[in-house]
Amino acid sequence: MPARRGLRALKAWRYVGIYGPELMICIGTVRIGPARQAFWALWDRGSSLLYERTVLGRGTVRLEPGRARVADGRVELDIELDETDGIETICPSGGSYAWTRKQGGIRAHGAIAIDGRLRPLDARAVIDDSAGYHERSVSWRWSAGVGAADDGRLVAWNLVSGINDPPHDSERTIWVDGEASEVGPNTFADDLAGIGFAEGGELRFQSEAERVHSDNMGLVRSAYRQPFGTFTGRLPGGIDLSHGFGVMEQHDVRW
């Protein structure tokens, strides 16, 4: 995709979220025109400690197809990602468009080190690749997670309101044992405590730790919060969750 389309600069990002009962991790790189930013966070549920960093440029984050690495002081990550084709869609954004590809419930495996203590990792992940010529001001709410149904089927989800969310051919997706299905529009609670579905059903969210980041760089301003936590409730199709792990997100940006 060209760096500009008319007066709109290209915005693009890759986000890897790995969610499990012991650790939850997010790693990302962002591009807004010529500017670059990278971030990572690790929520250790056993010790109730959150490690994180956000930097201009790419810092110590290395994301490539099939692999995510971070080497940043107290935390080192080297994770292999069993990537798939995922789902892709192109959605309108004002008078322009945005592309996105989502992969849900893929295996993430490797090792992490916290303060020199090595720990194996074998969990499931959601990957978000997005690029587009978005409107000047955008506000969205988003959720990604993995879990299992009461009947043992593996589930994952990518849910959103405010971006890439037309009534049809949106990025809203639920995966059940690896099979992807689009769901109707989502309704997010103002406090990010839950998500309702047009088809019926609701996810309830219990926050455990939260990433919060704000930038004001003149032409670009961003206010962002993303809590890690657990999910309960029912997905469309009458799928009752046995357990769920993941994130909620609220992002208001002028770019």
Side-chain angles (χ1 to χ4, degrees):
M1 298 170 69
R4 304 191 69 86
R5 190 172 190 264
L7 297 176
R8 295 190 184 185
L10 179 68
K11 296 95 174 181
W13 59 89
R14 180 170 173 87
Y15 170 97
V16 176
I18 303 165
Y19 315 120
E22 297 180 3
L23 299 168
M24 289 195 247
I25 301 165
C26 67
I27 308 167
T29 57
V30 181
R31 167 185 177 178
I32 302 175
R36 302 291 190 275
Q37 188 181 74
F39 61 86
W40 63 266
L42 185 152
W43 167 233
D44 186 338
R45 300 185 73 224
S47 65
S48 296
L49 291 175
L50 176 66
Y51 307 84
E52 63 172 316
R53 190 183 303 277
T54 300
V55 298
L56 295 176
R58 68 175 188 168
T60 62
V61 172
R62 301 292 182 270
L63 289 180
E64 57 194 55
R67 194 175 186 189
R69 290 175 292 161
V70 174
D72 200 335
R74 299 176 65 185
V75 173
E76 297 186 24
L77 311 171
D78 192 348
I79 301 166
E80 294 186 32
L81 305 164
D82 294 351
E83 298 201 36
T84 66
D85 291 338
I87 63 100
E88 293 186 61
T89 189
I90 295 175
C91 299
S93 182
S96 194
Y97 71 95
W99 164 89
T100 188
R101 176 179 63 211
K102 301 296 196 286
Q103 302 174 60
I106 70 166
R107 185 182 177 216
H109 51 102
I112 69 168
I114 304 175
D115 292 330
R117 184 165 69 94
L118 193 65
R119 297 171 62 172
L121 177 73
D122 197 338
R124 292 191 298 139
V126 174
I127 300 179
D128 172 5
D129 291 295
S130 294
Y133 308 99
H134 301 86
E135 296 177 89
R136 184 77 174 94
S137 296
V138 186
S139 178
W140 69 80
R141 292 176 181 180
W142 179 74
S143 177
V146 303
D150 280 347
D151 60 11
R153 289 179 293 173
L154 298 179
V155 300
W157 62 86
N158 175 88
L159 307 170
V160 72
S161 176
I163 189 171
N164 299 331
D165 69 340
H168 304 284
D169 299 320
S170 72
E171 70 169 57
R172 298 181 305 269
T173 306
I174 290 175
W175 291 264
V176 179
D177 279 345
E179 293 295 322
S181 299
E182 184 182 15
V183 295
N186 307 139
T187 303
F188 283 72
D190 290 342
D191 59 359
L192 300 183
I195 309 166
F197 297 95
E199 301 89 342
E202 179 187 26
L203 288 182
R204 296 176 296 277
F205 178 69
Q206 181 64 50
S207 175
E208 296 181 342
E210 182 169 292
R211 294 182 57 236
V212 178
H213 192 78
S214 295
D215 288 309
N216 188 344
M217 297 180 285
L219 291 176
V220 175
R221 297 193 296 273
S222 172
Y224 174 92
R225 56 185 290 245
Q226 185 182 88
F228 294 99
T230 60
F231 291 83
T232 58
R234 174 173 289 187
L235 294 166
I239 301 171
D240 291 312
L241 277 187
S242 166
H243 60 268
F245 305 97
V247 296
M248 297 282 266
E249 177 181 288
Q250 180 174 340
H251 198 171
D252 302 300
V253 60
R254 182 170 174 82
W255 52 10

